[in-house]
Amino acid sequence: VELALGITVERLGKLKELGSRVALRTVLFGAIMGVALGIPYFGDVMSLVGAFSTSLLLCVVPVVCYLRIRGWRQLGWPMRILCIAVAAIGIYACVLGAKGAIEDLQTDIANDK
């Protein structure tokens, strides 16, 4: 963002560049805090996003990438079973995490926290 806005030492000088960076980062931080405080149940929504993204990125995506690189037909049966097991564990963790996050979100909405 800073480069896109032209905040560089060569263009602004050392002191103005530092002040511009501090000001930009303070404005961005304030905007992010405004979003976090303005959206109700933000923590629960982030838990739901984390449940989906973490388990999929750690377990399922590497298996899919490995299979795309190596090819399903090139693998022996033990490796195929291992790939399926790792992907299944990742999907299971995703479902459990999403279920827990949705239950927490429903509880907070019902209690109007």
Side-chain angles (χ1 to χ4, degrees), residues 60-75:
V60 178
V61 172
V63 170
V64 170
C65 290
Y66 178 75
L67 291 175
R68 294 282 295 171
I69 292 170
R70 294 290 304 237
W72 179 259
R73 296 174 197 258
Q74 303 298 325
L75 299 177

Side-chain angles (χ1 to χ4, degrees), residues 23-96:
L24 176 66
R25 292 175 184 183
T26 302
V27 168
L28 287 174
F29 179 77
I32 292 169
M33 285 299 295
V35 168
L37 293 174
I39 295 176
Y41 318 113
F42 184 75
D44 293 331
V45 172
M46 289 306 297
S47 294
L48 184 60
V49 169
F52 278 114
S53 63
T54 303
S55 58
L56 291 178
L57 285 175
L58 289 177
C59 294
V60 178
V61 172
V63 170
V64 170
C65 290
Y66 178 75
L67 291 175
R68 294 282 295 171
I69 292 170
R70 294 290 304 237
W72 179 259
R73 296 174 197 258
Q74 303 298 325
L75 299 177
W77 280 105
M79 187 56 75
R80 288 181 186 181
I81 292 170
L82 181 63
C83 287
I84 291 170
V86 169
I89 289 169
I91 291 170
Y92 180 70
C94 179
V95 168
L96 282 182

Side-chain angles (χ1 to χ4, degrees), residues 1-28:
V1 173
E2 293 169 352
L3 290 177
L5 293 175
I7 301 174
T8 61
V9 175
E10 295 82 23
R11 185 170 170 267
L12 299 175
K14 201 168 192 173
L15 190 59
K16 284 185 180 179
E17 181 258 349
L18 177 64
S20 298
R21 283 180 187 254
V22 169
L24 176 66
R25 292 175 184 183
T26 302
V27 168
L28 287 174

